[in-house]
Amino acid sequence: MERLTGLMRGLALAAVAAVAAWPGAAIAQQEVKIGYALAAAPDSHYGVAAAKWQEVVEAGTDGRYTFRHFPSSGLGGEREVIEGVQLGTIEATIVSSGTLSNFVPDTGVFDIPFLFRDLQHARAVLDGPIGQEILEKFDQVGLVALAWGEQGFRHITNNRNAIATPEDIAGLKLRTMENPTHITAFETLGAAPTPMAWPEVISALQQGTIDGQENPLSVITSAKLSEVQEYLTLSGHVYSPAMLLVSKQLWDQMSPEDQQVFRDGAAQGVAAMRAFVDDVEKTGAEKLREEGMEIGELSAEQKAAFQEALGAAYEQYYQTYSKELIDRIIATE
Ligand code: PAF
């Protein structure tokens, strides 16, 4: 009996030592608060990505990690949410590139207008060495960037007039993201860019304090912008990436196995997000036309006129980001 008690004490001590050696092992259950700007699944590309991420993580960790969703900016604007993830008060998020360059400046290179030829080009760059190098830089600002997601190409909506030439946006009060690369572009084109956090945009459009905004079809449809905007110009002026982030505090307490499950879940979330975007790129414009929007699409020549009008902005971009980096992006197949 005495030998048995000794053995049990030994086992208990070994278990305590194992827990002390690996803090993650002590976690019975951890809630992962995930915040994002648009509707929960299945009504937005953010929602479907977050739901897939959750499914993979909850299954792969036998429910030790459970996700709690805060869709539709339930935890605030994207900048606030990223700061929350940095502090560890929010565990995960999926965000646009809107404010990311304020955290890792190189991220802004992807926000250069007309940089990417098409979705395949953008995905090849983001999934390849350039995209991965930039993800790794988030480590230096206390964030763990697991993967690049996507929103699609951005288009302009407004209530003032149809747009076919750069002159058509002269003086247009256009909400932009709080993104220096975008602001420079619209200033150069002669619009009146008004940077604003997303949660304020719908009411600003309703009240007429801004004439328009720009976002991909995924956002225009999910946020029901046809209810507050008359004209849609399929300008495809810039690609809009997204990013899946988790807090370093959460990451550092996980075992390498659980970290791998989070990585796999993020990769599958991205696949679901891109499938949603592929679909809405095909069907979104027709849906918006049926909902009453007046839609025009820039031809290749009209896009070229916008690119030419952006000349001074491109000079600034070459000063901000290295020419070598921009050339590597353009050369990616
Ligand atoms: O325009 C923005 O701020 C973003 O595209 C949005 C709508 C918040 C989605 O991330």
Side-chain angles (χ1 to χ4, degrees):
M1 183 68 185
E2 212 172 276
R3 263 195 32 222
L4 197 61
T5 316
L7 181 67
M8 285 172 77
R9 194 181 306 121
L11 285 173
L13 284 174
V16 169
V19 166
W22 194 259
I27 290 165
Q29 194 157 45
Q30 164 79 51
E31 182 179 84
V32 176
K33 292 189 289 303
I34 179 163
Y36 44 93
L38 295 166
D43 294 325
S44 84
H45 49 309
Y46 283 92
V48 299
K52 179 51 84 175
W53 196 4
Q54 166 180 23
E55 183 190 312
V56 174
V57 167
E58 291 187 359
T61 63
D62 297 321
R64 278 177 290 110
Y65 290 87
T66 54
F67 274 44
R68 181 163 166 215
H69 293 248
F70 292 84
S72 306
S73 307
L75 294 174
E78 291 189 332
R79 182 198 289 268
E80 274 172 279
V81 173
I82 298 169
E83 284 168 359
V85 175
Q86 228 174 6
L87 287 171
T89 53
I90 299 170
E91 286 78 23
T93 186
I94 310 178
V95 286
S96 71
S97 63
T99 63
L100 284 180
S101 62
N102 300 304
F103 296 85
V104 171
D106 272 357
T107 312
V109 74
F110 300 136
D111 297 313
I112 295 179
F114 302 107
L115 177 70
F116 292 109
R117 294 182 290 278
D118 50 33
L119 291 178
Q120 304 321 319
H121 179 209
R123 292 172 186 178
V125 171
L126 296 174
D127 294 346
I130 301 174
Q132 298 313 298
E133 280 160 26
I134 293 186
L135 287 182
E136 279 163 24
K137 292 192 179 179
F138 280 80
D139 204 48
Q140 293 154 24
V141 295
L143 290 162
V144 181
L146 290 185
W148 287 101
E150 128 183 317
Q151 305 213 79
F153 279 90
R154 299 179 83 89
H155 307 293
I156 302 170
T157 67
N158 82 100
N159 281 331
R160 197 185 73 177
N161 53 266
I163 296 165
T165 67
E167 292 72 42
D168 294 331
I169 62 168
L172 190 75
K173 279 185 266 152
L174 188 77
R175 178 269 174 177
T176 65
M177 299 196 288
E178 299 159 281
N179 179 306
T181 312
H182 287 192
I183 296 167
T184 300
F186 284 106
E187 264 167 11
T188 307
L189 289 171
T194 312
M196 193 182 278
W198 176 250
E200 297 158 38
V201 174
I202 307 279
S203 62
L205 288 170
Q206 277 164 337
Q207 287 157 16
T209 48
I210 48 173
D211 301 313
Q213 64 84 52
E214 47 85 59
N215 251 305
L217 288 170
S218 56
V219 176
I220 300 171
T221 52
S222 298
K224 299 188 181 7
L225 290 185
S226 59
E227 291 174 4
V228 287
Q229 293 277 264
E230 199 177 335
Y231 300 99
L232 163 62
T233 307
L234 297 171
S235 48
H237 53 277
V238 67
Y239 176 72
S240 196
M243 192 177 275
L244 284 72
L245 291 159
V246 297
S247 84
K248 211 163 156 36
Q249 287 85 337
L250 177 73
W251 193 251
D252 288 346
Q253 74 175 23
M254 279 187 221
S255 67
E257 292 74 23
D258 287 347
Q259 288 178 346
Q260 191 53 46
V261 174
F262 267 75
R263 278 190 193 287
D264 294 344
Q268 291 192 44
V270 167
M273 194 175 201
R274 288 178 178 172
F276 186 105
V277 168
D278 282 336
D279 184 53
V280 81
E281 293 277 318
K282 284 190 211 116
T283 57
E286 198 40 47
K287 182 170 183 279
L288 294 165
R289 187 171 286 119
E290 280 163 17
E291 288 170 6
M293 291 190 96
E294 187 180 316
I295 304 182
E297 180 163 11
L298 295 187
S299 65
E301 293 73 37
Q302 287 170 328
K303 281 189 186 180
F306 274 85
Q307 264 180 287
E308 205 180 314
L310 281 167
Y314 285 120
E315 276 169 32
Q316 281 193 45
Y317 300 145
Y318 275 118
Q319 279 165 19
T320 310
Y321 309 104
S322 82
K323 181 167 182 332
E324 192 230 333
L325 177 60
I326 297 175
D327 288 347
R328 270 175 76 203
I329 294 172
I330 295 169
T332 303
E333 292 297 330

